[in-house]
Amino acid sequence: MSFRALRKLQGESKLTADIGLNLSESDEADLSPTGGARRKQRSVNPFELLNREQTPSDSEAKEDDDKENEDDKKSGDEDGEKSQSNDSLKRKKKRRRKKMKPAKDKSSEDNNDVEDEIEASVREVNKLLGEPAADDSAHRDSYSHRQRNLYSVEHRYLNSDNEMKKIFGSKIIQAEQNKRRGRGRGHVRSTWLVQPRQNWPHVGKPGISMSLLESRGDVHIFTLEHNYHYQQIQFQFLNAVDSFNPDNIVSILNMHPYHVDALLQLSEICKMADDLQMATALIERALYCFECSFHHLFNIATGNSRLDFRRAENRSFFVAIFKHLVYVGQRGCYRTALEFCKLLLGLDPENDPLCVILMIDFYALRASEYAFLLRMFSDLETERNLSQLPNFAFSVAMATYFLAIEAGKPLAEADKLLQNALLMFPGVLMPLLDKCCTQADSKVTKHQFFDPQRNQPVALTQLIQLYVGRCYHLWKEVEVMTWLENNVNEVIKTVDAKNPIVEQYEEKRQVRYKGTPRAIYRHIIMSEIKDATASLPSELTQTPVMSYDPLPPADAIITYTRPPRKPQTQDERNTLSIFFRSLFPNFTLEESQNQTDDSREAPTDGAGNGDSASTSNTNDLRQSVTSLLDAMRDLLTNIHLPEVAQDADDSDTAHDN
């Protein structure tokens, strides 16, 4: 507080007595209202009162003030007075530090003595009673903390546009963003998962909300909920899916533009029609709807928010993130895809219902995040046996190889890891070389150990095909292929020497890969890698798999049930619906035949469609449905809309006539 303010609050006489100033008559005149410019030039230390309160003793402060007053009387120059008061203030601070420092040292020494006595007593008690169990809990807490760090997400990497700017330049991406914004209304809200577009409709209250179920320490478990209005829309969507007519799904989105399951299903239809831009936009709109419904405690960045995949309301969020990261990865934004992998894995790390663990290594390598991949492997190896997965066995070796190349270190550790991976999974080599269009050496092709036809569990074959189909691009570099060739020769020497480790790995392969979990099947279906999809069992290929909810879990939690359906009318089973059903995966002619046979018993719609359908022969349908589908595809492909200007001219001409 300034001297003038203190003088106004406390009065001039009281303030002068507190500070200890002995003002002369000339000084009083200077402080009087008529002092003029000299009063303004007067330099008074405004912190003198605070310094007095912080001094060790009043006598010491009085001596300093007297000395300062004597200096003021001797000096007639105000500049000298100012410098002397500053010098005296510095001297007081130095003396104060010198006197307070021993007290601090003394107190710290006393605290150290007390802490040493406590630690000594604790050690004596531990010798008598043993180590407490708190150490285990501390270890578990540190382990869970490391896991949360693995699943934590950085917001800046969730925006694929930031990564695209690094690849193509900011000007090109900025122009594309301006083109994408258009002339829409500026009512969209800012989000982290996706960048909303200006032409999207207002989200309002879509009928989805999130609630907190329970908290386990610092881990929070949430669930998504549908209100009554959204449940009715969901029933309409299920009826539209059963009709196999995409027009019914489009009509639902026209009325309810943020129905997430309809967005997911229509996105799959657009992808099959090679309209990837529309498919990506629909997935982004679904994620935007979800983020607008988040609970205020749901934090995607900390890695401690959980969702139960068994609940049907939550599964759409998992599927939307999975599809979005695949689309982002196809655009070359591998760092963004890696962050979404961490987000998806952090939602349910114990169960991993979509098996993100089978692809997170691929995006880590493509994003050059080698240190993260090795840290994840070391933290989760004990709990999840990541080394028993082909993708992690080879990816960890490759990450070690790239780190050694960057640091200029020997490749001994990377060679060891790759040789162990080849010994454990010899069935990877030949499919990998075939995908890379590389001709193997005759010594390798003739060796029985790398024979792809040798006895290998089906579950392991599916994992190998999944890894090779996704990651074979990483092995096409000349340096990497040379490194692989050298280690293959070393493995052949180890096998020929009949090392016991070869038999041990053979026993592990026969024991550990007896069956394929349902989550891996779900991952294969959603990844759409042809080599892995071809190995799916027949019971999965013969049943329809819906894109919005592929392979629901057997122990699913159902919060509300669908009411009984009304029998379908004949107009819902016409030939056009058969064509649209052919766009869905797993379509068979037998299925359409059975549905046509059932339509004979269905009631007619009053327009005679039921009678015409009943007179159609099943054999004729079997023979003509293929040609009909081809004709419909050609028809839709060759449709050309008339030009707008020509229509306008025709309408004007008709109006004149």
Side-chain angles (χ1 to χ4, degrees), residues 604-622:
T604 60
D605 57 357
N609 293 333
D611 296 336
S612 61
S614 60
T615 57
S616 62
N617 195 315
T618 304
N619 294 330
D620 295 337
L621 176 62
R622 180 184 296 272

Side-chain angles (χ1 to χ4, degrees), residues 309-310 315 518 522 544-546 549-556:
F309 186 79
R310 296 176 299 172
R315 291 201 289 270
R518 191 174 181 85
R522 190 181 298 117
V545 177
M546 296 303 171
D549 189 10
L551 295 184
D555 56 346

Side-chain angles (χ1 to χ4, degrees), residues 1 42 127 175 196-197 200 318 351 363 403 407 414 433 469 492 507 553 560 577 583 643:
M1 184 178 292
R42 175 70 178 175
K127 290 180 180 179
R197 306 185 183 186
W200 285 356
F318 283 83
N351 301 316
Y363 292 110
L403 287 177
L433 295 178
I492 292 177
E507 294 177 358
Y560 61 93
S577 66
L583 298 178
E643 297 181 359

